[in-house]
Amino acid sequence: MAKETNIVLNSDDQSLGTIQMSPQVLEIIAGIAANEVDGVAKMHGSLASGVGELFGRQLDRRGVKLSSNDDELGIDVDVYVQYGVSVPKIAAEIQNKVKQQVTVMTGLTPTEVNVRIQGLVADEKEQSIDQNDIFGLHSQEEKSDEEE
């Protein structure tokens, strides 16, 4: 959001006062919701969030930006997905999950949830090292024997 103003939640009974929420709360809700979708590898963060993580701070709002015009709330979510998943399916699930969680937890309904896929993350292959053949010489000999 452009300015750091609290968001006032509308409630039917305001006799006890108003309810205000920091924009960071919405970003955290959206970030956690997006991370819960199967196929999301990680959220895309800025340099500042990367530095924060180096110092042990976990930023759940990483990769989420809010925008608002009048009474409209927009949420941008930047993610990395796992290699091999259906990108359109994952993006639609992220949109639905973020919109649902923000609405349920705050009563605010986002008018749009934009998902940007920043990249793919491949699963790391586990490499086993034979203690008796550290340089892999025997495996090359076995392959040549199999070819003959």
Side-chain angles (χ1 to χ4, degrees), residues 100-145:
Q100 175 191 23
Q101 288 300 320
V102 168
T103 302
V104 167
M105 294 182 72
T106 66
L108 300 171
T109 303
T111 54
E112 63 181 10
V113 178
N114 302 308
V115 177
R116 289 189 292 257
I117 308 299
Q118 296 292 334
L120 299 172
V121 175
D123 291 334
E124 292 184 21
K125 293 181 182 177
E126 226 178 89
Q127 295 183 354
S128 60
I129 297 175
D130 184 2
Q131 296 295 327
N132 298 322
D133 186 23
I134 296 175
F135 298 107
L137 298 175
H138 291 50
S139 60
Q140 290 176 356
E141 291 173 4
E142 290 173 5
K143 288 181 185 176
S144 63
D145 289 343

Side-chain angles (χ1 to χ4, degrees), residues 18 22 26 32 39 46 49 59 62 76 82-83 92 95-96 109 111 115-116 118 127 139 148:
T18 60
S22 169
L26 287 175
I32 292 172
S46 65
S49 63
L59 300 175
R62 169 182 165 167
D76 296 333
Q82 294 171 344
Y83 178 79
Q95 288 175 319
N96 290 331
T109 303
T111 54
V115 177
R116 289 189 292 257
Q118 296 292 334
Q127 295 183 354
S139 60
E148 294 177 358

